[in-house]
Amino acid sequence: MSEAGPGEAEQYVVPPTTTRPRGLIMPQPTTLRALSGLPSTPASLADSTLIMIDCQNTYVDGVMALDGVASALDEAVALLERARSAGIPIIHFQHDAGEGSPYDIRAEIGQIVDRVAPRADETVIVKSFPNSFVQTDLDDRLKAASAHHLVLAGFMTHMCINSTARGAFNLGYAPTVVAKATATRALPGVSAVVSPAALQAASLAALGDLFAIVVPDGAAIPD
């Protein structure tokens, strides 16, 4: 199946299932992307727009500190430097949950980490929802630039990366998530605490099933 153009929803068709005789070994897991013929490899960085999501100080220290955040920021720095060298559009997001919150952009805790801080000529959008398309002008900006391929990095994997990638797919964009440039934290589960590693793996696998191409690191995205 060919890739959808800008503004066109990517469609997927799942082949009908067949009844398997008992005793047969089940096949290796596959994804809806594979079954639907959607691309499995990312577009070149030169043909993409980099979206840096919520790389804020709140995730480095304090109650919202993430597991593996330092190494994720290292990867984000490398990705950002490549994007700048390539001269592609770069959009930074900053989440604001109001004064006194862990996402207060009026305070130091809500500022973007210095190592990945936007330059003067780079776009910064403030958002209030996990999905970066909700109540922002992101879709309008991307359409105006005829953008289609998006590269996503930032935090948190299970929340704003997940929501934005799904939102992008639903609007007809082709998102790629850089796994090593994302991170998350432990969460209380139904019967036990879900570890950061388990949540990270499950979140990325769920995205890779249909909504996004998930690559291990930025090096997997060709120039």
Side-chain angles (χ1 to χ4, degrees):
M1 180 176 292
S2 61
E3 229 174 78
E8 299 175 5
E10 292 187 85
Q11 298 182 1
Y12 60 98
V13 178
V14 180
T17 57
T18 57
T19 303
R20 300 182 185 279
R22 291 184 178 181
L24 287 186
I25 298 173
M26 293 298 290
Q28 288 295 311
T30 189
T31 65
L32 283 170
R33 291 189 71 88
L35 292 171
S36 307
L38 291 174
S40 59
T41 56
S44 67
L45 189 65
D47 291 329
S48 303
T49 297
L50 175 62
I51 300 182
M52 303 282 287
I53 299 175
D54 302 348
C55 295
Q56 293 164 260
N57 290 322
T58 189
Y59 291 126
V60 177
D61 296 301
V63 67
M64 294 304 298
L66 303 181
D67 184 70
V69 67
S71 59
L73 284 169
D74 288 343
E75 186 69 18
V77 168
L79 187 61
L80 185 58
E81 289 176 351
R82 277 186 67 200
R84 285 169 173 165
S85 296
I88 67 169
I90 300 169
I91 300 175
H92 299 259
F93 271 92
Q94 209 174 355
H95 194 86
D96 185 14
E99 190 170 352
S101 74
Y103 301 93
D104 183 357
I105 65 172
R106 290 151 291 274
E108 181 65 20
I109 196 169
Q111 296 305 303
I112 294 175
V113 175
D114 285 344
R115 289 198 289 156
V116 289
R119 292 179 176 173
D121 60 342
E122 294 170 357
T123 299
V124 180
I125 301 176
V126 175
K127 66 181 181 63
S128 301
F129 292 88
N131 182 348
S132 300
F133 289 91
V134 174
Q135 293 187 16
T136 72
D137 64 352
L138 177 59
D139 188 36
D140 292 336
R141 287 177 180 271
L142 294 174
K143 283 186 169 63
S146 297
H148 179 55
H149 299 286
L150 313 179
V151 174
L152 275 54
F155 311 121
M156 293 179 286
T157 315
H158 77 280
M159 184 64 66
C160 295
I161 295 293
N162 198 301
S163 298
T164 300
R166 290 168 186 256
F169 177 88
N170 292 338
L171 289 170
Y173 297 99
T176 291
V177 174
V178 181
K180 196 175 176 182
T182 67
T184 190
R185 71 191 205 282
L187 289 180
V190 174
S191 58
V193 171
V194 180
S195 71
L199 187 58
Q200 176 81 351
S203 298
L204 293 170
L207 284 177
D209 189 30
L210 177 64
F211 302 103
I213 295 170
V214 178
V215 295
D217 51 35
I221 301 175
D223 291 333

